[in-house]
Amino acid sequence: MRQPYLITRFNISVIKYICFIFFMASGPRYNAQTLTISGANWTVSPPGITEAGTNYTGTYESATNQIVLAVSVPLLLGNAKVSVHYEPNPTWHNSLILSAKRTNNGTTLCALCTISGGLTYQTLTQTDIELFRIQAVLALAAYTGINIQLQLSGVSVTIPATSYQSRVVFTVAGL
């Protein structure tokens, strides 16, 4: 009588072990979203002021494809959001306003996937804000060539003259 009990217990342990190995091996492949960022540094050089009492124009825009994103959202996740924030690198003046927007939908092979939001400038802060969302329906949503444009405003002669730099950070997360 003991032998069937041991065999059954052994079979259940083996099945649990095999399932555990399967989920551990397949988990990262099915649950991970990816974000790839390319582009170049953007430098704003306001024109010199030639007349006393005048100010800078105040708003500057980068190329419409200053930053290019590639995002993939796995089938099991279904929906994801791409967020953005800035980090002073090393200094940034509080009067300078950095904004970002999505200028196209990129390309995808997924017929039922959608990308939404982010087509107007969003003011960046040091805390993540949602820029746009991707929804996948019964497929892996993989978008490439999503163009991001930057805008700098608040440039003024009242800001101390020095070099201000910041880093724009993008993240992708499931909803």
Side-chain angles (χ1 to χ4, degrees):
M1 288 284 184
R2 280 191 174 269
Q3 191 171 8
Y5 175 73
L6 290 176
I7 292 172
T8 305
R9 184 174 174 195
F10 175 75
N11 288 342
I12 291 172
S13 296
V14 169
I15 290 170
K16 285 182 182 177
Y17 181 75
I18 291 171
C19 289
F20 176 77
I21 296 298
F22 173 77
F23 287 121
M24 291 302 291
S26 64
R29 189 172 44 229
Y30 292 114
N31 292 329
Q33 57 275 0
T34 60
L35 175 65
T36 305
I37 304 167
S38 60
N41 289 337
W42 178 45
T43 302
V44 176
S45 299
I49 293 180
T50 57
E51 190 174 325
T54 59
N55 202 349
Y56 295 110
T57 58
T59 301
Y60 304 90
E61 290 183 319
S62 72
T64 57
N65 63 345
Q66 187 67 41
I67 300 168
V68 181
L69 305 178
V71 183
S72 67
V73 179
L75 170 65
L76 295 178
L77 197 58
N79 302 314
K81 67 178 179 176
V82 174
S83 299
V84 62
H85 70 273
Y86 82 89
E87 297 174 349
N89 185 30
T91 60
W92 190 253
H93 196 279
N94 289 339
S95 295
L96 298 173
I97 301 166
L98 191 58
S99 303
K101 73 176 180 178
R102 179 174 58 88
T103 60
N104 71 351
N105 288 340
T107 57
T108 185
L109 297 176
C110 179
L112 298 176
C113 298
T114 59
I115 184 171
S116 61
L119 293 174
T120 59
Y121 279 114
Q122 305 291 321
T123 300
L124 305 185
T125 64
Q126 292 185 49
T127 305
D128 270 341
I129 61 161
E130 182 178 314
L131 188 59
F132 61 90
R133 288 183 179 203
I134 293 177
Q135 292 182 301
V137 180
L138 302 175
L140 167 72
Y143 283 86
T144 59
I146 302 170
N147 294 334
I148 305 296
Q149 184 175 21
L150 299 175
Q151 180 186 66
L152 178 67
S153 59
V155 178
S156 171
V157 294
T158 60
I159 297 173
T162 190
S163 178
Y164 297 103
Q165 297 178 23
S166 68
R167 177 177 302 137
V168 178
V169 179
F170 293 87
T171 56
V172 60
L175 292 173

